[in-house]
Amino acid sequence: MHPYILKAPAKINLYLEIVGDRPDGYHEVVMVLQSIDLADEVELHPLSGKTIRLHCDQPHLPQDQTNLAWKAAALMQQHYPDHGGVEIALRKSIPIGAGLAGGSTNAAAVLVGLNLMWDLGLTQAELRDLASQLGSDVPFCITGGTALAVGRGEILSPLPDLDGLPVVLGKFRQLSVSTAWAYQTFRTHFSHSEAELQALRGQASQMLSAIAARDFQRIGRFLYNDLEQVVLPAHETVARLRSQFQAQAVIGTMMSGSGPTVFALCQDLAQAQQVEATTRQAFAQSDLETWVTQLCVGGIQVVG
Ligand code: C5P
């Protein structure tokens, strides 16, 4: 058994529609999920016994059994008890509580890494099954790329790759949004009428045909996120950030997942760098953090 270093990419939501409530307290969704190059590094070392140890270069992130990466290791030990312990080191680049699936992708990396370290030979489908016990976005993070997600987000169909398109991300450092809060607030204050659901079905199919054609201008037009209705009114700065992106003739802009990260799809790298510079200037008095990255193929990858 030797150590593994894995690259764990973040995701953005090109489309997030809440179709309805579910008896299990979750929501039925239709999403288009997209991996981006912004990624954490997850390093795994074998330990003797059943010990799980976790370190992270972000001291305010929990480093105990409440961390999803720890839970992933514990789940693997529970299913495959003949194998040993593991030391997990998380090197974070993905902001936390951001709507970018940072915690989910770390957990996905632990599943993929332990499958290799313990030589279990699990298929991607078997790994995604385990992943769905950890969280709705974890199965997607295993395979990544571009995918349609339904159910609570765990039922996936691959879509044609959209790699290479530059994207700018913006997030206010001190602002995090709880996914549970965002969904719960949507449930309490909003719901779609039958007519709205029908209109959204049209929008979703337009998005899918734009993706099939790799027509980025149309993808930009059909970006959608129901949770913007919850998060933007509650956080005026996030709404201003979105307007700032929109004013710069980007291909399209939208909040990712339950936010508060806002992304802007850009025509090319030069535009992405210009948008980033202008936006930083406009929010110079705030704690805005920005990233220029790109859409990418694939999910968890072994890098060492
Ligand atoms: O699945 P995960 O643990 O990542 O979800 C976090 C929270 O987001 C859930 O506890 C639930 O409140 C909400 N959620 C939801 N419907 C979904 C996905 C998440 O209500 N499809």
Side-chain angles (χ1 to χ4, degrees), residues 149-165:
V150 298
R152 55 184 183 92
E154 85 290 18
I155 303 170
L156 299 167
S157 313
L159 294 172
D161 290 329
L162 297 177
D163 51 309
L165 192 73

Side-chain angles (χ1 to χ4, degrees), residues 25-27 29 135-136 152 179-180 183:
Y26 281 77
H27 294 79
V29 293
S136 308
R152 55 184 183 92
T179 306
Y183 274 99

